[in-house]
Each structure stands twice: as C-alpha cells, then as structure tokens.
Amino acid sequence: MRNSVLTIALAAITLSYSCAQDIENKVDTPTNPPYTAQLLIDEMQSPWGLVFLSANELLITDKSGELIHFENGKKTVVKNTPEVYTRGQGGLLDIELHPDYENTGWIYISYASEEGEEKGGHTALMRCKLNNNTLTNKELLYKATPNTTKGQHFGSRIEFDNDGYLYLSIGERGARDENPQDITRDGGKIYRFYDDGGIPEDNPFVGKEGAKTAIYSYGHRNPQGLAKHPETGEIWDNEHGPKGGDEINVIKAGANYGWPLVTYGVNYSGTPITDKTEMEGMTQPIHYWVPSIAPSGMAFVTTDNYKGWKGSILVGSLKFQYMERLQMEGTKVVKREKLMTDLGRVRDIKEGPDGLIYVAVEGKGIYKLVPKA
Amino acid sequence: MKSYYSSLIFLIFIGCFGQAQESVLAESMQRGSEIYSDFCVTCHLEEGEGIIGTFPPLAKSDYLAQNREASIRGVKYGLQGEITVNGVTYNNIMTPLGLEDDEIADVMNYIMNSWGNFSDKTVTIEEVEAIEK
C-alpha cells in the first residue's frame, strides 16, 4: 500500500515536471537562414523604436533624444521633440502611429520625462503630428509619478489593438517591492487608453478606490516588447526578468503577472527573490527564458516571405546580441532560433508595410532582412 | 622627551588622517555599489566579469588599470568603438548613463577597488569634473 502511494506520488511529480517547460531551454543556430541582412540606415547610436510612415519612409527614435526621419535614403533630425530624461535606461523610447494615421496624423511617443515636482524622472506618453520635420500639436497624455533618480525599468512600448485602444507598458522603476503589486502606484504595469489619452470606462480598476485607473494589468517587471497577435488580436508582451525569468505574457484585463512574488529568476547576485514560480490568482507566462536573454522589441511574422517563419515571434536579445525566432503552436513555443548574431544589441523589430522584417541594432542602425530567393 | 611626545602626536595625527582617508573611500565605495547595481550590473554582471566578446570585464581589467582617464570619460560621456580588454577585442557601445559627477566618482571607486582591482588613488568629484568629452 505504502509503495503504491509512493509510486503514484512519484508518477505525479514526474508528470508535472514533464508538462512544465524545460528549465534550460535550448536554442538552435541555423546555418542557412532565409534572409540576407542589409544595413538600410547606418550610424545610429541607440535606435529604440521605429515606425513606417509609408513604404520607404520611417521615423526612428534614438534613446539619446533624437528623432530621425528617414526618407529617400536620407536621415533628417526632427525638431521640437520632447525634452527627455536621459539617465540609465531612460531617454526617448517608443514610437507608434494612430491606426488611422492617414486621416488623423497622430504619432505617439513614449519617453522618460522629468516633468513633475520630484527629482528624477518617470515614463511619459505624448501624441503629436509631424509637419515640415517638426513635431506640432503636442499633447501629454500620461506621465507616471513619482519621479525617481533610479536608472532602471522605464518600459516602454506602445501598441494599438483592433478596437483602437492604446496600450503602454511602464517598468517598475527599480522599486520592485513598492510598485508592481500596488495598483495605486505607477510602474510595473500595462496601461490602456483611448486614442486621446482618456481612460476607458471598462478598464479593470475603474471605481477601485485610489487605483490608477489607466492600469490594465499589473505585476510586471520591465516590459520592452508589446505586439498585437495577428490572428487573435490579443496584446502580447515580453519583459525582462532579473537573472533568469524573462517572460512572454498574453495580456488580460486586470491580470496580475506576479512580479516579484513569483518569478523564474533570481537576484543578480544569485540569491533567491522567492521560491515560488506560481501562485493562485497570478497569471503564468506562456514562455520564460532561463538564462535571461534580456528581450526587447517584439514582432509577429505574418507573411511567407521567409520560409517557415509565418506565425513566429521575433524578439531582440540585448544580453546576447541576436534576434530570436520563436516558432509557435498557439501559445506554445515549439522551437527557438538564434539569428542576426554578433551585430550588436537588438533593440526593436518591426514587420514593414512590404511584409519584410526591419531590425534596430544599437551602435549600428536599421537592418532590412532581404529574403533569399 | 618633548620631542618624543610631539612625534607621538604627529604619528597619531597621521594615523587618524589615514583612517579618515580610508573611510572616505569606504563610504564612496558603498554609494558606488548602489550605483553599480542600478546602472552597470545588467551588462557587466555582479562580479564585474562581463560577457566575453560582448561586454568587457571590469574585474582585473587591464584596460581599467591602465586607462584611468578614458575609463572615467567612458562612464561620463559613453563609449563606442573598439577597445581591447585582457587580450580580447570589444566593439560595442555603452550609451551615456546620465550620472552626476559625484555618482561617477563613487561608482569608479567601487569598480576600481572591487573583485581584485586596487587603486591607490581615490577618484574625486574634481577629477571627474575636469574630464572633458
């Protein structure tokens, strides 16, 4: 009897482990990837976000504060850009267009800002228009508070969903025990707005006393990838864990992603943060990386331009300096590939209007992946 | 006898002065370790070991030991291009960190006196201020 109980217990343990993701998930390096990387825009210090105004016209943010307008092979520095707080990971961050840009002309920019009373900075979101290489009609839509001189975790990516809602990620600003689990504080959250910065009435914490009602989900560490799933329309993120425990999450209204109460990572020193990787009421990632790759940027491949890539997710690795392709079956990662190795820190990835992939690499510029015939 | 006392007082004075110097460095290093874990650790890692070929090591780094001014300048204004550290070539970018001069002095003191590194001269705010782009 005792033996059979033991056997059942052992079987249960084995089964639960075999269902879980491999701890040291393995990554392949293909010898003949289906593209040639062509440096389209060179000499950029720290390109952070990019967006296509039309097929051959891009806006690229540089963390240093410069906004670059690239047209007909020429770079122009855009004037009247927001004043940015360049410290640590802060600076000029992401850029996105209104879903109906052609008619509205709205451009959305996230950046680290000193606006406010306290010393330091926090993430801000603005919208504006572009006229004669100058930003006009500038409107501040959100500014997280309070400022802090910490250098970490500003986020921040911008994405629209199919219903026109605007999502913004803000990292926990190096205050993991104060911010991510507290919905009355900014940081460690994903926010949802109307396109004019107004707060949707059905946001999950509207009516909760003291809550920051722009919050859509919480318990995040530092999401620097945000993308709309091309089929389901859901918003997915990727976020930096500490040492180990980077994650991909499917963002749900009101969900708590657990940081720092549950994580697959440890402190940089190797000491534990918590022994828990899951807890009731906290949403599990669909994928986690151990060791950390330091993910930034996220794009779904929607075309057959690159053989076998359709439906994959592309993510930049800051730490190991490559682009990762995650082949998906629904929400399950079935294969990982290491691409664009040894060029530099891969910061952002976009699928262009031509269906080709464009990759921002720090210290280099923007690469275009030309499909091999 | 009188000269004996005055030498003693002199020695005590020197001793205290030395200790004060030491505690100035210790306090600076303490503040510097906080700056390090905020701004540096994600790339250069906990023990200053870096990632070979990608992020240069700070621990026992010959570059750091031999290029004091260039190292401070790198932290102050950022660093891009080729450098050789312990026989390995690095061609990467460290964007400007946005640190204040006192913070740069603190983090340099921490780095230059940790993980087997030793510097016999404390980095001061004045020294950082004087370094131009």
Side-chain angles (χ1 to χ4, degrees), chain A residues 50 106 112 213:
Chain A
L50 68 148
W106 287 118
T213 52

Side-chain angles (χ1 to χ4, degrees), chain A residues 270-284:
Chain A
T271 56
I273 295 163
T274 161
D275 58 355
K276 295 187 180 65
T277 56
E278 45 194 294
M279 207 187 270
E280 205 181 316
M282 300 197 181
T283 307
Q284 282 286 299

Side-chain angles (χ1 to χ4, degrees), chain B residues 79-101:
Chain B
L79 187 62
Q80 184 167 10
E82 222 171 76
I83 59 168
T84 302
V85 182
N86 298 346
V88 178
T89 303
Y90 294 84
N91 190 354
N92 215 328
I93 178 168
M94 176 165 78
T95 54
L97 299 157
L99 294 172
E100 314 268 347
D101 289 346

Side-chain angles (χ1 to χ4, degrees), chain B residues 114-133:
Chain B
S114 298
W115 323 300
N117 294 344
F118 172 73
S119 166
D120 52 8
K121 198 176 144 222
T122 304
V123 179
T124 61
I125 300 172
E126 293 73 27
E127 183 180 0
V128 177
E129 271 170 3
I131 291 175
E132 289 172 4
K133 208 162 181 172

Side-chain angles (χ1 to χ4, degrees), chain A residues 44-46 63 86-89 119 149-152 268-269 318-321 345 362-363, chain B residues 35 37-39 41-43 45-46 51 54-55 80 92-93 95-100 103:
Chain A
M44 294 206 66
Q45 190 187 53
S46 199
K63 185 176 160 293
T86 48
R87 181 171 157 101
Q89 298 164 10
K119 189 173 156 70
T149 56
K150 285 276 190 178
Q152 304 121 318
Y268 288 117
S269 59
L318 299 173
K319 186 170 169 197
F320 298 118
Q321 314 210 27
R345 286 156 57 96
E362 289 185 11
Chain B
I35 297 286
S37 59
D38 186 339
F39 292 83
V41 73
T42 46
C43 295
L45 306 187
E46 189 72 21
I51 296 176
T54 305
F55 304 119
Q80 184 167 10
N92 215 328
I93 178 168
T95 54
L97 299 157
L99 294 172
E100 314 268 347
E103 295 174 317

